[in-house]
Amino acid sequence: MLVVTAVEPEAAAVRAGLPAGGAAVVEVATVGVGSAEAAAATARLLALAEAAGRPYAAVISAGIGGGLPGRAVIGDTVIATRSVAADLGADSPDGYLPIERLGFGTSVAYADAALVALLREALPAALAGDVLTVNTVTGTAVRAGELAGRHPSASAEAMEGFGVAVAARAAGIPFAELRTISNPVGPRDRAAWNLPAAFTALTIAFTALTAAHAAAFAPTTPPDRPSS
Ligand SMILES: O=C(O)c1cccc(C(=O)CC[C@H]2O[C@@H](n3cnc4c(=O)[nH]cnc43)[C@H](O)[C@@H]2O)c1
């Protein structure tokens, strides 16, 4: 299992929830901020693992995110049912046209249903909803309203999920996205970001995942130290 985050503090928060010792079943890597950075770095990690004969079983895009007003608040955990590239399209006098309307593919990446079920079982208090992938962090109430109106099933926005999903799809590997909320989506107010709350929620989420699904997340016993 590969868990990718944008930045190192997110990776540290994930690792803090994973058990220490033994052979790592979960590898955590930072892949950069934004969809392009994340897609390229994730694709490279997946290809290298495959070439080494040790392909990953799944990839999770994890990290902090903004909560859409009335849908997710600071400290919440959101499991993405879909990761949606919310600004992949064209603007027009008649409004925004998603890439589907231009005939160039899709802006929607579905999370793997079995992986989502596993996450939801382990995290019963988590919200399930779409997570938007944006290239520009929303900074006005108008933009937040536009996104909320256009995406009634969205709970949160972040910047990497869709890119990671594209890399996973190219490798034929199940994908999921998990976000913990650090800030409201709306008028830019960096002072309102609560990074500690979001990092703590990330650690709690991966602690719960490890406890609920030991085979998928806990380390295996090294072959030279058989359990007695
Ligand atoms: O300033 C810091 O100490 C710091 C520590 C860790 C992470 C950050 C980030 O700024 C991470 C950017 C990362 O977070 C996601 N994110 C969080 N909130 C939003 C949002 O409202 N809209 C879009 N993305 C958001 C995003 O995925 C970035 O990669 C700072």
Side-chain angles (χ1 to χ4, degrees):
M1 171 93 62
L2 175 65
V3 177
V4 295
T5 68
V7 295
E8 190 49 38
E10 294 171 315
V14 170
R15 286 192 196 100
L18 299 175
V25 169
V26 179
E27 287 177 26
V28 186
T30 57
V31 290
V33 172
S35 203
E37 287 274 358
T42 303
R44 178 172 162 76
L45 290 172
L46 297 180
L48 287 173
E50 192 178 333
R54 290 181 282 103
Y56 291 106
V59 56
I60 298 176
S61 174
I64 64 175
L68 283 160
R71 302 186 189 171
V73 298
I74 287 173
D76 277 349
T77 297
V78 177
I79 297 164
T81 44
R82 309 185 304 171
S83 301
V84 180
D87 50 19
L88 184 60
D91 209 353
S92 87
D94 298 324
Y96 176 75
L97 302 170
I99 197 83
E100 287 84 349
R101 291 280 301 279
L102 309 179
F104 294 127
T106 180
S107 59
V108 177
Y110 282 83
D112 179 78
L115 197 47
V116 168
L118 186 143
L119 295 174
R120 294 191 68 177
E121 187 188 335
L123 306 170
L127 304 169
D130 291 349
V131 174
L132 307 179
T133 301
V134 295
N135 286 299
T136 304
V137 175
T138 297
T140 66
V142 169
R143 178 66 176 158
E146 277 175 17
L147 288 174
R150 198 182 297 153
H151 301 283
S153 304
S155 301
E157 75 166 34
M159 301 177 78
E160 294 81 23
F162 184 79
V164 176
V166 169
R169 188 175 65 208
I173 288 173
F175 159 82
E177 180 173 7
L178 184 148
R179 293 282 163 182
T180 57
I181 303 303
S182 53
N183 59 281
V185 172
R188 181 164 176 77
D189 176 13
R190 198 63 174 73
W193 285 44
N194 189 335
L195 294 172
F199 293 148
T200 299
L202 261 187
T203 300
I204 289 171
F206 278 87
T207 303
L209 283 169
T210 303
H213 301 295
F217 287 91
T220 53
T221 306
D224 57 338
R225 287 172 43 214
S227 56
S228 53

